[in-house]
Amino acid sequence: MWTWTVLLASFGYVGLLFAIAYYGDRRARQRRSLVANPYIYALSMAVYCTAWTFYGSVGRASVSGVGFLPIYLGPTLTAALGWLVFRKIIRICKIHRITTIADFIASRYGKSSKLGGFVTIIAVLGVVPYISLQLKAISTSFLLITHYPEVTVDVDFAQISFVEDTTFYVTWLMAMFAVLFGSRHLETTERHEGLVTAIAFESLVKLCAFISVGVFVTYGIFNGLGDLFSQAIEVPRIRDLMVLEESAGTFAGWTMFMLLSMGAVIFLPRKFQITVVENVDENHLKKAMWHFPLYMLVINIFVLPIAFGGMLSLGEGVDPDIYVLSLPMQYGQPLLALFVFIGGLSAATGMVIVETVALSTMLCNDLVMPILLRMPWMRVNEQTDITGLLLSIRHGSIILVLLLGYTYFHLVGEFYTLVSIGLTSFTAVAQFAPAIIGGLFWKGGTRRGALSGMLAGFVIWGYTLVIPSLAETGFFSPQFITDGLWGV
């Protein structure tokens, strides 16, 4: 009965998102846009806060204390110091009608289709682990909450057939949403006002859900922050998390995480889509650069209290990544647990839908269509209306990207934490930084230089992050990690 309650709540919530997106699209057609509002714009930018933020930050804090902060300090610094870069990118995209990050890089270096195609390949392969992170969060939280009042579930996702896997059906549901409100019809501006409205609503839901569980832990389980931290400081392993280790590794780690997150808030396809492509008024950027960091501050206030509360209350047998959901369940709060589950679902689905829409546009415009145009026997040039072809390519691209994410989740997801999977994608899109930043401010950059730099970075990323993760699953011998390639 509880399983059906969770399912009905989940599908009811997704149905509400459909209704909001439909209403946003209808208002846009009536020229009474809902997104012509700086607050909606700022809330939609919170698509940066995914299941990584909702679940993974607490898991990270349980291992490294304040070590979860660099991922949010980076975007805050970017908003404070780099808003001029955002403004310049938005202006360039509006003048030249650029609709994807691949088009942006290609246009700077002679509108090179080869460069645009390579950027698309990096983006797709780099973001697939991030999509799998969201699917892992949905699957884990669903299995946990449907086993209420148990707070631990030991399941090998690799052994579950797709017929029995709820995540498989959630994947198709998200694909349907992305198709209906992200690629239902072609727009020269590539704006999706209904989708943006739904994403802004999701940002409110996940914020309220996370704050609710934070307040419950702090003032429901404990008697305020003073009581919580006074109990935490009595436990040696928690007390150690309250102090930063003074070592070169700690400082280097913080620096690298901040740099990666500073790049991700600009170069992730979904962030580029929301911040640049979906921008309807450049002046909205001024308020968004204040409200977006404020949102990240508020959603992270209770990360340490939840992490320490989970360590004190749940012990070592519970995965720290699901403390947010386990704590309400442990203390007999099923409605709060259900609200938290919906908040996590919001965090995951918002990211996946926007990401797949952005990637489908890139795949269509910068990879598939250039290939089709080079095939004389396809006779694409002779067709007077290729709208149906373009839409079919985009719909197929959305499904392909989601199925790749689902496959990665089943093969690799169970071996790694949410944060480590997310950092893999952050590192992939960091390869765009030299080409974009250099292209904005240095006129001496060349197409060959940009292509060579991204190719070298992509190869190193695959060799040092992706191949070792596949070795953990048995695709390669474990000796590859211990002894290196060919034993070197």
Side-chain angles (χ1 to χ4, degrees):
M1 194 66 184
W2 178 244
T3 300
W4 280 107
T5 302
V6 175
L7 284 173
L8 286 173
S10 303
F11 284 101
Y13 177 70
V14 174
L16 176 62
L17 293 181
F18 271 88
I20 292 172
Y22 176 79
Y23 180 67
D25 277 342
R26 193 178 73 173
R27 287 287 295 261
R29 290 193 297 270
Q30 296 171 348
R31 299 188 181 278
R32 295 188 298 155
S33 173
L34 290 174
V35 302
N37 183 306
Y39 302 104
I40 297 293
Y41 179 59
L43 281 172
S44 68
M45 289 177 68
V47 73
Y48 176 82
C49 299
T50 64
W52 175 346
T53 299
F54 201 87
Y55 294 113
S57 290
V58 173
R60 176 82 175 174
S62 302
V63 176
S64 61
V66 293
F68 77 95
L69 281 175
I71 302 302
Y72 306 99
L73 292 176
T76 300
L77 289 174
T78 302
L81 306 176
W83 70 274
L84 292 174
V85 175
F86 275 116
R87 188 178 68 179
K88 188 167 186 175
I89 292 174
I90 289 173
R91 287 180 177 177
I92 291 172
C93 289
K94 287 185 176 180
I95 292 172
H96 298 283
R97 296 185 179 182
I98 294 171
T99 56
T100 66
I101 194 169
D103 289 342
F104 185 84
I105 296 176
S107 66
R108 168 58 187 85
Y109 301 96
K111 296 185 178 179
S112 168
S113 60
K114 182 186 296 185
L115 190 57
F118 187 61
V119 170
T120 300
I121 292 173
I122 293 178
V124 171
L125 296 181
V127 170
V128 160
Y130 209 168
I131 292 175
S132 77
L133 180 161
Q134 315 306 316
L135 298 179
K136 177 183 180 180
I138 293 172
S139 184
T140 304
S141 59
F142 178 80
L143 284 173
L144 181 63
I145 196 170
T146 52
H147 282 75
Y148 179 83
E150 298 177 35
V151 295
T152 58
V153 178
D154 187 16
V155 177
D156 184 358
F157 291 113
Q159 301 302 320
I160 301 177
S161 68
F162 68 89
V163 177
E164 301 172 342
D165 189 3
T166 309
T167 314
F168 179 75
Y169 301 104
V170 172
T171 301
W172 280 101
L173 190 63
M174 288 191 287
M176 186 191 308
F177 191 100
V179 166
L180 286 177
F181 295 101
S183 60
R184 182 172 49 182
H185 44 73
L186 295 177
E187 295 282 354
T188 56
T189 61
E190 292 297 345
R191 290 185 187 139
H192 313 90
E193 295 198 8
L195 179 62
V196 173
T197 307
I199 296 302
F201 177 77
E202 282 193 312
S203 296
L204 281 176
V205 171
K206 65 190 177 190
L207 178 65
C208 292
F210 197 86
I211 291 176
S212 296
V213 73
V215 170
F216 169 72
V217 171
T218 305
Y219 299 99
I221 301 176
F222 300 90
N223 294 320
L225 291 173
D227 177 44
L228 194 161
F229 280 94
S230 64
Q231 291 190 42
I233 206 168
E234 297 298 324
V235 182
R237 69 187 184 101
I238 302 180
R239 183 171 61 246
D240 292 342
L241 297 178
M242 298 182 186
V243 181
L244 274 178
E245 182 182 350
E246 294 186 14
S247 66
T250 300
F251 298 132
W254 273 62
T255 301
M256 292 311 300
F257 289 151
M258 288 176 67
L259 289 174
L260 286 174
S261 59
M262 289 175 74
V265 80
I266 303 176
F267 308 132
L268 280 170
R270 75 175 186 279
K271 284 298 297 177
F272 191 90
Q273 176 74 31
I274 289 292
T275 307
V276 178
V277 179
E278 302 289 353
N279 178 273
V280 297
D281 187 344
E282 182 185 301
N283 292 322
H284 291 173
L285 192 64
K286 296 178 182 178
K287 283 191 176 181
M289 290 299 99
W290 288 98
H291 291 104
F292 174 53
L294 178 62
Y295 182 97
M296 290 193 294
L297 171 65
V298 174
I299 202 171
N300 282 291
I301 284 176
F302 287 106
V303 168
L304 284 177
I306 295 172
F308 293 165
M311 295 172 76
L312 289 169
S313 305
L314 300 173
E316 298 183 2
V318 179
D319 183 359
D321 277 344
I322 55 175
Y323 279 172
V324 178
L325 187 56
S326 297
L327 283 167
M329 293 172 61
Q330 173 75 8
Y331 287 90
Q333 299 292 327
L335 292 180
L336 178 59
L338 183 60
F339 184 38
V340 170
F341 171 76
I342 294 298
L345 184 66
S346 289
T349 55
M351 175 273 173
V352 172
I353 291 168
V354 178
E355 202 79 80
T356 52
V357 168
L359 290 175
S360 70
T361 305
M362 294 168 65
L363 282 167
C364 178
N365 295 355
D366 299 286
L367 198 62
V368 178
M369 282 305 297
I371 292 174
L372 293 180
L373 289 171
R374 288 184 173 89
M375 296 179 177
W377 54 273
M378 289 291 294
R379 297 182 177 178
V380 177
N381 292 329
E382 299 176 11
Q383 298 182 33
T384 57
D385 185 5
I386 59 171
T387 302
L389 175 63
L390 292 174
L391 289 176
S392 298
I393 294 171
R394 294 193 182 190
H395 297 167
S397 299
I398 288 172
I399 295 171
L400 173 64
V401 170
L402 279 168
L403 290 180
L404 285 174
Y406 178 78
T407 304
Y408 190 92
F409 153 67
H410 264 277
L411 295 178
V412 181
E414 67 177 296
F415 295 96
Y416 296 95
T417 63
L418 298 179
V419 169
S420 61
I421 296 174
L423 285 172
T424 301
S425 293
F426 274 31
T427 310
V429 298
Q431 311 313 317
F432 302 150
I436 291 180
I437 303 301
L440 283 174
F441 299 102
W442 180 43
K443 295 183 178 180
T446 64
R447 179 181 64 85
R448 182 177 298 178
L451 187 60
S452 301
M454 284 191 289
L455 178 61
F458 182 63
V459 170
I460 294 172
W461 171 78
Y463 179 74
T464 57
L465 289 177
V466 178
I467 293 180
S469 70
L470 294 176
E472 290 283 345
T473 68
F475 269 73
F476 301 97
S477 170
Q479 291 181 336
F480 170 78
I481 298 177
T482 57
D483 301 335
L485 189 63
W486 299 307
V488 179

